[in-house]
Amino acid sequence: MTQITVELGKQSYPILVRTGALELAATHLKKFVNNQRLFVLTDENVGSHLLQKLQNSFSGSDVTLVVKSLPAGETSKSWRQLETVTDWLLAQGIERSDTLVAFGGGVIGDLTGFTAAIAKRGCGFVQIPTSLLAQVDSSVGGKTAINSSAGKNLIGSFHQPQFVLIDPLVLNSLPDRELRAGYAEVVKYGLINDASFFAWCETNGDKVLSRDPDAVSKAIIHSVGAKALIVAEDEKELSGRRALLNLGHTFGHALEAETGFSEKLVHGEAVAAGMALAFGYSVRRGHCDAADAERIVTHLKSVGLPYNLATSSVAASGQRLVEHMMHDKKMSSGTLPFLLANGIGQTFLANDVDLDDVAAFLDASA
Ligand code: GLY
C-alpha cells in the first residue's frame, strides 16, 4: 500500500494505491459518507464488471450507494449528460456536504468532477479510476470538463478531488487496447523529466502490458508521484510547469481531430504518436539527438503503440493537421506553445514555433 499526497495547502489530498482496495472501499470511503449515502457515477461497461465489487464492500453497512450509470464513451461528456446528472442529483436531494464518487475511466472522472464543481455551488468528490489512463493521469490534479461542439474539454473547471483510491487489480478486466493506450501516459512521465524512468519503461513495458502485478503497481505509483509533484507546483497550469504534462498532446490532438475523436485512434494512442512526433520535430529544430527520438520510436513500436502518421491511420497533409492544431485551446494571440525536448527527460515549452515549419515536418515524416 502506497499513499502519495498532492500538496495543495488546505486542498491537499491523498492518493492511495493498494492492490485489492476496491474490496475495502467501504473502509476507505467511510469519512465521505453523509446521511448514510454516497452518490456514485459510473458507466455501463464499468458498471457491469466492477460495480458489484464496490457494492459488496458496503454490504452489511448502513450506507446506501445511490448509483447512476451513464452510457460508456466520450459522448457522455456533454451538456446533455451534465444536465441529466445534475437534475438526478437534485431530485435525490443532494446536499453540499455530500460526496460524489467517480467510478470509471477518464470520461466519468471528468464529468463527475465538473458536476461536483457546480452542484449546489460545489460539493466534494472522490475518484476511483478504473482505467490505466485515469489511474496515472486524469484522476489526479483536478482538471474537470465536458466537451462542446467547439471542441473537447472546452467547458470545465479546476476542482480537486478529496481522495483518489487506486486498485491496480481492476485493470485485469481492462481490454488490452485500453491498457496499452494508458501506458502511453506512463511513458510520458519518463520523457518529460525522468530519463531513468523511461529506461525502466524500456525494460519493463512488456511486463506492464502483460499485467505483471509488480510492474503495474510500480508504473502507477511512479506516474502518480510524478504528477502529484507537478500539480503541487502549478495547480492551474499558470507557470508552464503543469503544461509539461501535455507532452505529445498538440500533435496528438491534430491526429485525434483528423480521425474524428473516434475509436480509430484513442486518446492514449494519439499521445504516443504525438510524443514521437514532438521528439522528431525537436530533432529537426536541432534541440535533440536523433538517437533519443529513435529510442522512443523503438519503444513505442515494441509495445504496439503508434509512433507516426501511418501507424496512427492518418494520411492527411501537414497543412491540414496544423489547421486542427489551430483549434487547440492552448492557442494564444496567434501562437501555439509546443512541448519540445533537448533529450529524453528534458522537455521544455517553446513559444516560437512556426506552424508552416511544423506542416513541412509532418509532410516529410509521413
Ligand atoms: N493531463 C494533463 C494535466 O492533468 O494537466
Side-chain angles (χ1 to χ4, degrees):
M1 176 160 83
T2 302
Q3 183 165 309
I4 294 155
T5 302
V6 183
E7 300 285 358
L8 289 170
K10 284 190 182 140
Q11 285 186 326
S12 298
Y13 55 93
I15 303 163
L16 187 72
V17 184
R18 180 174 192 178
T19 302
L22 189 54
E23 287 179 359
L24 302 167
T27 310
H28 292 303
L29 299 184
K30 201 162 24 188
K31 67 189 262 208
F32 302 104
V33 172
N34 183 45
N35 296 330
Q36 276 87 49
R37 64 190 177 172
L38 281 169
F39 294 100
V40 179
L41 293 186
T42 189
D43 75 34
E44 284 154 5
N45 285 351
V46 174
S48 63
H49 283 106
L50 298 169
L51 184 60
Q52 195 58 50
K53 275 197 176 166
L54 181 66
Q55 277 167 329
N56 288 350
S57 91
F58 284 89
S59 66
S61 79
D62 59 356
V63 177
T64 303
L65 295 186
V66 190
V67 180
K68 179 91 178 157
S69 184
L70 302 173
E74 194 71 26
T75 50
S76 282
K77 272 174 65 172
S78 63
W79 283 116
R80 198 168 66 80
Q81 287 299 352
L82 181 71
E83 186 177 13
T84 304
V85 169
T86 46
D87 282 350
W88 170 74
L89 288 167
L90 295 171
Q92 298 285 336
I94 186 175
E95 296 174 0
R96 198 178 273 173
S97 38
D98 277 314
T99 300
L100 309 190
V101 179
F103 186 50
V107 167
I108 289 296
D110 284 5
L111 177 69
T112 306
F114 190 41
T115 304
I118 59 173
K120 294 282 176 114
R121 294 213 177 98
C123 55
F125 82 113
V126 304
Q127 293 263 19
I128 308 182
T130 59
S131 69
L132 181 59
L133 192 139
Q135 292 187 343
V136 299
D137 182 29
S138 59
S139 68
V140 175
K143 278 190 178 173
T144 76
I146 58 168
N147 303 326
S148 91
S149 52
K152 269 183 76 170
N153 293 333
L154 294 182
I155 298 140
S157 70
F158 287 94
H159 187 60
Q160 298 293 341
Q162 293 163 298
F163 177 46
V164 182
L165 183 63
I166 297 179
D167 182 353
L169 277 186
V170 303
L171 302 181
N172 286 344
S173 56
L174 193 70
D176 287 345
R177 185 180 177 192
E178 269 195 69
L179 187 71
R180 196 177 300 115
Y183 176 71
E185 300 275 2
V186 173
V187 173
K188 183 181 80 176
Y189 293 103
L191 299 183
I192 290 173
N193 62 3
D194 190 343
S196 65
F197 184 62
F198 179 69
W200 182 88
C201 290
E202 289 178 305
T203 309
N204 296 283
D206 54 348
K207 291 194 196 123
V208 175
L209 295 176
S210 59
R211 300 166 207 256
D212 172 272
D214 291 341
V216 170
S217 290
K218 156 101 191 183
I220 294 170
I221 290 165
H222 185 92
S223 302
V224 165
K227 180 151 187 185
L229 283 178
I230 291 177
V231 169
E233 286 172 40
D234 181 20
E235 182 193 359
K236 301 211 167 143
E237 209 167 306
L238 297 173
S239 73
R241 187 80 185 132
R242 184 163 182 168
L244 298 183
L245 295 171
N246 297 329
L247 176 65
H249 284 59
T250 302
F251 285 102
H253 174 85
L255 302 177
E256 280 183 283
E258 181 61 22
T259 46
F261 295 97
S262 68
E263 288 298 303
K264 227 171 148 186
L265 186 72
V266 297
H267 179 69
E269 293 167 343
V271 168
M275 294 189 299
L277 290 167
F279 271 76
Y281 188 57
S282 301
V283 174
R284 177 182 170 97
R285 296 220 334 171
H287 300 300
C288 175
D289 282 349
D292 278 10
E294 201 43 52
R295 253 176 90 188
I296 296 163
V297 167
T298 302
H299 182 54
L300 296 176
K301 201 190 280 189
S302 81
V303 295
L305 279 165
Y307 51 89
N308 59 16
L309 300 193
T311 52
S312 306
S313 317
V314 168
S317 69
Q319 195 50 47
R320 184 172 164 83
L321 293 171
V322 161
E323 276 158 25
H324 289 309
M325 289 177 187
M326 288 162 81
H327 294 116
D328 195 299
K329 60 181 170 310
K330 294 182 285 301
M331 191 88 187
S332 162
S333 312
T335 308
L336 186 58
F338 271 76
L339 281 158
L340 301 180
N342 290 317
I344 289 171
Q346 299 170 57
T347 303
F348 66 92
L349 200 58
N351 285 305
D352 62 345
V353 170
D354 171 7
L355 290 177
D356 288 337
D357 189 48
V358 173
F361 160 73
L362 288 168
D363 286 334
S365 68

